[in-house]
Amino acid sequence: SATVGSTTPISQNLQISSAGNPSTFTVTSAVTSPGGGNWLQVSSGSMTPPTSPASVPLTVTANPSGLPVGKYAGVITFANSAVGVQRQIEVTLNITPPSSVSLAPAALTFNYVRSSPTLPAPQTLLASAGGSAVNYVAGTAVANPTGGSWLQVTPSSGIVPLPGSTNLQVSVNPEGLPFGVYTGTVTVNGASQGPQQVPVTLNVTPGKINFAGGIALEFAFSGGGANPAPVSLPISTNGNPFDFTVSVN
């Protein structure tokens, strides 16, 4: 198979052997569609294959240059002067439309509160094919921190059918990351249009401190008397414990 517009020949090797004593064969290729076409070639016009299980290779090449979308047929013929045609091998060349992949949504954003006991839920990236089905490979890259691995995508490879679509699951693991904004990219390769990318943003924010009874404190003091007794300020977080600092002014 080849994509329409391709000019790169496609080659495959056939392993040829004789069922009995070796004899010399002429090898010819012929195109049955389109009539008069010359997209099919073989590497040798004559060969003397050894007796099986030994074999010799014959390279068969299909050149898709200039062919429109469609299915093309050809035949390779082995013959010798003693017995005529001994074997024919049919060859099919499929010329397919350019393939494309579209990804939705165009960007993903995850939010994580540092003290939260729950990681952000995975998000779905919808991959749709155009032109023809696409064998894809998906991967991630993290822009910051350098060498980071907080971004993942699954499955990492598969097929985007036509018609139809494939769901990719994008997830993040922000554990250990300090507060800040982090960016990365999900890339899907495989379509003839080239790699498609979706930017990903991860926001890591501080946890929230809860003050029991509000945030106002009152102290009673009479002039000339002793310092007011301390007042307790019960505090808690809305998730996992985290470090904080206290200052007065």
Side-chain angles (χ1 to χ4, degrees):
S1 295
T3 301
V4 65
S6 173
T7 59
T8 303
I10 308 164
S11 295
Q12 294 185 23
N13 282 335
L14 290 176
Q15 295 298 323
I16 310 298
S17 60
S18 295
N21 293 328
S23 59
T24 299
F25 292 88
T26 59
V27 184
T28 58
S29 62
V31 170
T32 55
S33 65
N38 62 351
W39 55 264
L40 181 62
Q41 294 89 35
V42 291
S43 59
S44 177
S46 176
M47 62 192 317
T48 306
T51 302
S52 180
S55 64
V56 291
L58 176 69
T59 301
V60 180
T61 301
N63 190 339
S65 296
L67 294 176
V69 173
K71 186 176 183 178
Y72 300 89
V75 62
I76 299 169
T77 300
F78 298 83
N80 67 19
S81 57
V83 296
V85 174
Q86 278 285 291
R87 181 74 182 269
Q88 288 187 315
I89 297 176
E90 295 181 350
V91 180
T92 301
L93 173 62
N94 294 307
I95 304 296
T96 60
S99 60
S100 63
V101 170
S102 60
L103 303 175
L108 296 173
T109 299
F110 294 85
N111 296 303
Y112 177 67
V113 178
R114 180 71 181 277
S115 63
S116 174
T118 305
L119 297 178
Q123 296 188 37
T124 298
L125 194 59
L126 183 68
S128 302
S132 60
V134 174
N135 290 290
Y136 75 87
V137 175
T140 61
V142 170
N144 62 311
T146 302
S149 58
W150 53 265
L151 179 61
Q152 298 86 37
V153 60
T154 56
S156 59
S157 63
I159 297 176
V160 183
L162 183 73
S165 59
T166 295
N167 289 335
L168 304 179
Q169 295 298 312
V170 181
S171 58
V172 297
N173 185 352
E175 291 184 339
L177 293 176
F179 310 140
V181 178
Y182 300 89
T183 57
T185 305
V186 175
T187 301
V188 177
N189 284 288
S192 55
Q193 75 188 123
Q196 299 299 294
Q197 296 184 325
V198 169
V200 179
T201 301
L202 169 62
N203 298 305
V204 179
T205 57
K208 179 181 178 182
I209 295 178
N210 302 313
F211 298 91
I215 58 174
L217 298 177
E218 290 188 5
F219 293 88
F221 175 71
S222 298
N227 289 336
V231 176
S232 295
L233 179 62
I235 61 175
S236 62
T237 71
N238 60 340
N240 293 328
F242 60 91
D243 295 330
F244 63 91
T245 61
V246 178
S247 60
V248 296
N249 53 46

